[in-house]
Amino acid sequence: MCGIIARVGDSDDAVDELLTGLENLEYRGYDSAGLAVKNGGGPNVFKREGEISRLKTALDDEAPSGGLGIGHTRWSTHGPPTDENAHPHTGCGDRVAVVHNGIIENHDQLREELQARGHVFESDTDTEVIPHLVEEHLAEGATAEEAFRRTVRRLSGSYAVAMLVEDSDAVYATRRGSPLVLGVDEGEYFLASDVPAFLDFTDDVVYLDDGDVVVAEPGGHVITDLDGNSVERTVKTVEWDPEDAGKGGYDHYMLKEIHEQPAALRQTLRGRADPATGEVTLDDFPPGTFDDVERVQFVACGTSYHAGLVGSRLLGTRGVPSQAFLASEYATSPPPVDGDTLVVGVTQSGETADTLAALRQAHAAGARTVAVTNVVGSTAARECDDALFIRAGPEIGVAATKTYSSQVVSLALFGERLVRDVTGSRSDDVERLLQGLADLPGQVQQVLDYSKARRVAKQYRDSDAYFFIGRDTVHPVAMEGALKFKEISYEHAEGFAAGELKHGPLALVTPNTPVFAVFNDRDDEKTLGNVKEVEARGAPVVAVAPEGHEEVVQHADEVLTIPDTHPDVTGVPANVQLQLLSYHAADILDRPIDKPRNLAKSVTVE
């Protein structure tokens, strides 16, 4: 959360490129935005509360020129969204401008020290201590780089920081626990929280490690550790196209990414499974990779946690002891772990703070770790022992869609590799499972082409609440459907295991609380029994079910049909129906679908 962009070059059009970067990063936060540009003198700072469009309007008549600049789009942690709390922040003399992502845990102590020495603060943010500290070191005679290093040594917590200083033609940056990448072009450099920020300008990227300090000037850059020792970081070319990060003619990123799922699934599956032979080929995990594993633990947050629940169910039914944990709970109350434990971190961005903390906790306890992520070069991918990439392509919408589908499919393939290594045998129905996975791109396309989700969303738009139920591998789908619905519609929604409905939640069921029941051709008669329970209380029922279920049709007011497939992968097309339902419900209510209130795409603070 929060987005940083910096640009270094000879030409004086830094503002245009910074604004492009900020717009590309707006999914990371949209409470406020700002930028600072310099051209010979001190940094010129412009910032506004609200979305980036307000900042652009403010710059229409007074946009500064310059080749060096930093920018920021904010998701509020310390202090409400106001002009004063917007980044960049400066010190007393306006010699220094700083943007920051993360949390400075000792900011109260530093602020008290600085105020005691006469510093006056203009904001409520933790970030503002940084430029004041830098100014003190500059006043003592330190160079800009020395002042930056001394300041960073005083900071506790997580941060990615970029800084401009008067009389210096460089941007200074570092990271610890928050993402920061360097973009490299001919004569230009970019620093950003995410690669999509500068994809319009370059696809050559340097992934920075914690403790790296970057000094970027027109025509050159240096990367060192905090003590000034040179470090080598490889330049890599990312495969994403700039158009992948655009809306492509859709009204919202979310709708575009829902419709990209057939292509994303093809990328996820490509070269990894052969239904005819039952073989699974994961290049980084040859047979025998996990022979010493006795149990598997998944750690994740939000949508990724729901994917981890599916992965855990798939392993458990195939004889591999497995559990899924919320990463935020795992990090503070870890279960027993030893050298025979494999801990799998599921994280779209690879930068989710709670998931990284859980993985580090597991690693410290002796467990082997694997990251299942979408981002090559992410912190999780680099810190874990191994990584499996889901290949979904860039996802900009705050509400995750195509990455969930690709996570589930990746975990199904990964699970089969684990089953063979841990149990010594293949799953009994592996050919049918792999065929079900291979069929998913076409089946998801079928759902996209024929879904009635908009009509259903319109029919129940005035309901008091929305309940989602399911069993087995579609229990996590019910939870994910409820999460997506509440995220973007702002309507109350809850997801339950179908059998738990009668153990309390049934008290909330009324004729004005539709129940969305997900079926997967396994234990459907039990889920149908739960449907009859809510039906007896007068609640409308919307079934999400494979084709041809006549009894389901008889007891449902509406049916969102999905293609018939293997029960373990039914949840993927079922979830697409629920994504469409959530999208259309939010669209009918005129919600800001790509920018849901209080949320951000990548949660990089604990």
Side-chain angles (χ1 to χ4, degrees):
M1 56 229 326
C2 295
I4 288 175
I5 180 68
R7 186 266 195 182
V8 177
D10 287 319
S11 62
D12 287 342
D13 54 357
V15 167
D16 290 340
E17 295 184 0
L18 290 171
L19 287 172
T20 297
L22 287 176
E23 289 175 328
N24 291 343
L25 284 173
E26 198 166 16
Y27 59 90
R28 294 185 63 90
Y30 29 84
D31 291 340
S32 60
L35 56 81
V37 175
K38 68 182 303 295
N39 188 358
N44 293 316
V45 176
F46 299 82
K47 53 187 184 177
R48 289 293 185 273
E49 178 272 330
E51 297 181 5
I52 291 167
S53 57
R54 294 198 64 215
L55 175 65
K56 292 180 71 173
T57 300
L59 288 165
D60 283 345
D61 298 325
E62 52 177 341
S65 63
L68 276 71
I70 56 176
H72 188 271
T73 180
R74 182 172 185 246
W75 186 86
S76 303
T77 53
H78 291 77
T82 63
D83 286 357
E84 292 77 17
N85 288 335
H87 297 217
H89 288 289
T90 59
C92 293
D94 294 335
R95 298 180 62 191
V96 179
V98 167
V99 292
H100 160 238
N101 175 22
I103 294 179
I104 306 302
E105 294 175 354
N106 62 336
H107 73 99
D108 283 335
Q109 171 197 337
L110 294 172
R111 180 181 286 246
E112 289 176 5
E113 292 178 9
L114 288 160
Q115 287 175 327
R117 294 195 292 268
H119 289 262
V120 177
F121 284 75
E122 302 293 336
S123 78
D124 301 317
T125 69
D126 54 337
T127 303
E128 197 181 350
V129 300
I130 300 174
H132 286 277
L133 287 169
V134 171
E135 281 190 343
E136 282 199 338
H137 295 309
L138 291 172
E140 294 166 356
T143 65
E145 184 175 348
E146 289 170 343
F148 185 66
R149 293 181 187 277
R150 292 179 191 176
T151 296
V152 171
R153 290 192 183 96
R154 295 292 315 277
L155 305 180
S156 297
S158 65
Y159 50 78
V161 180
M163 179 183 79
L164 292 178
V165 180
E166 183 181 46
D167 300 328
S168 173
D169 291 327
V171 169
Y172 303 87
T174 190
R175 62 158 286 178
R176 176 185 174 186
S178 290
L180 194 65
V181 294
L182 175 69
V184 180
D185 196 15
E186 294 183 9
E188 288 189 345
Y189 296 95
F190 300 88
L191 286 147
S193 302
D194 275 341
V195 171
F198 50 70
L199 269 181
D200 293 76
F201 312 113
T202 182
D203 57 5
D204 289 333
V205 177
V206 177
Y207 293 101
L208 302 173
D209 285 348
D210 279 356
D212 285 354
V213 176
V214 179
V215 180
E217 303 175 271
H221 78 282
V222 176
I223 304 175
T224 60
D225 63 18
L226 197 54
D227 295 324
N229 301 308
S230 179
V231 296
E232 294 295 326
R233 297 285 178 254
T234 304
V235 178
K236 298 182 178 181
T237 300
V238 296
E239 297 180 1
W240 295 348
D241 188 282
E243 292 185 5
D244 292 341
K247 289 184 182 178
Y250 288 89
D251 290 337
H252 299 93
Y253 284 111
M254 183 181 179
L255 185 61
K256 171 178 177 276
E257 288 155 5
I258 289 173
H259 281 265
E260 285 178 340
Q261 286 177 110
L265 291 171
R266 290 187 186 96
Q267 291 171 187
T268 300
L269 289 162
R270 188 177 64 243
R272 289 175 164 176
D274 185 347
T277 63
E279 290 303 315
V280 172
T281 304
L282 300 176
D283 292 339
D284 294 327
F285 306 102
T289 300
F290 302 109
D291 282 349
D292 58 347
V293 170
E294 293 188 0
R295 69 196 62 83
V296 180
Q297 297 173 352
F298 293 89
V299 293
C301 304
T303 290
S304 295
Y305 171 67
H306 298 152
L309 281 171
V310 176
S312 178
R313 300 281 173 90
L314 294 178
L315 284 177
T317 58
R318 288 165 169 77
V320 179
S322 176
Q323 292 174 280
F325 298 88
L326 288 165
S328 55
E329 292 294 310
Y330 188 101
T332 55
S333 302
V337 170
D338 58 27
D340 298 324
T341 306
L342 177 69
V343 178
V344 181
V346 188
T347 163
Q348 184 279 135
S349 65
E351 304 292 349
T352 307
D354 287 325
T355 305
L356 291 173
L359 288 166
R360 290 163 183 159
Q361 174 76 32
H363 178 76
R368 183 174 175 181
T369 57
V370 172
V372 177
T373 183
N374 196 34
V375 183
V376 177
S378 62
T379 301
R382 286 180 286 123
E383 289 190 2
C384 286
D385 296 307
D386 298 288
L388 175 64
F389 298 104
I390 69 172
R391 303 175 178 173
E395 184 177 72
I396 306 301
V398 170
T401 53
K402 66 178 182 176
T403 52
Y404 174 83
S405 298
S406 290
Q407 284 172 339
V408 169
V409 170
S410 296
L411 290 174
L413 295 171
F414 184 63
E416 184 58 30
R417 169 78 280 133
L418 280 166
V419 166
R420 298 182 188 196
D421 286 352
V422 175
T423 69
S425 61
R426 306 195 316 176
S427 299
D428 292 339
D429 61 347
V430 62
E431 289 85 0
R432 185 179 171 221
L433 173 64
L434 296 185
Q435 187 59 57
L437 292 171
D439 291 340
L440 281 177
Q443 292 179 339
V444 169
Q445 188 63 57
Q446 184 178 335
V447 170
L448 295 171
D449 290 342
Y450 299 107
S451 176
K452 301 186 297 183
R454 185 172 185 85
R455 180 170 66 78
V456 172
K458 189 174 183 180
Q459 182 176 349
Y460 296 109
R461 63 171 294 175
D462 296 322
S463 300
D464 294 335
Y466 303 81
F467 295 153
F468 297 75
I469 62 173
R471 291 177 182 269
D472 189 50
T473 54
V474 292
H475 167 213
V477 174
M479 297 172 66
E480 173 63 12
L483 175 63
K484 211 60 55 194
F485 201 93
K486 71 181 74 172
E487 277 183 318
I488 62 170
S489 75
Y490 307 159
E491 297 296 306
H492 179 70
E494 294 190 57
F496 309 102
E500 287 300 297
L501 193 64
K502 58 184 176 290
H503 295 288
L506 196 59
L508 300 175
V509 170
T510 74
N512 207 32
T513 53
V515 176
F516 295 83
V518 189
F519 294 83
N520 72 340
D521 260 344
R522 187 182 286 151
D523 292 323
D524 282 355
E525 69 284 354
K526 293 183 178 181
T527 303
L528 194 58
N530 302 124
V531 165
K532 293 175 182 177
E533 291 166 359
V534 301
E535 185 181 40
R537 275 76 181 176
V541 174
V542 178
V544 184
E547 299 164 329
H549 280 234
E550 293 304 322
E551 193 172 5
V552 170
V553 172
Q554 290 173 12
H555 288 276
D557 296 272
E558 294 283 352
V559 179
L560 295 174
T561 304
I562 56 177
D564 195 13
T565 186
H566 191 290
D568 286 342
V569 301
T570 298
V572 174
N575 187 61
V576 175
Q577 284 282 23
L578 295 180
Q579 290 171 353
L580 290 168
L581 173 79
S582 300
Y583 173 83
H584 290 303
D587 190 44
I588 290 166
L589 293 168
D590 198 27
R591 306 300 193 210
I593 291 172
D594 286 332
K595 302 172 185 176
R597 67 186 178 206
N598 303 332
L599 301 179
K601 181 67 176 173
S602 180
V603 185
T604 56
V605 295
E606 294 183 60

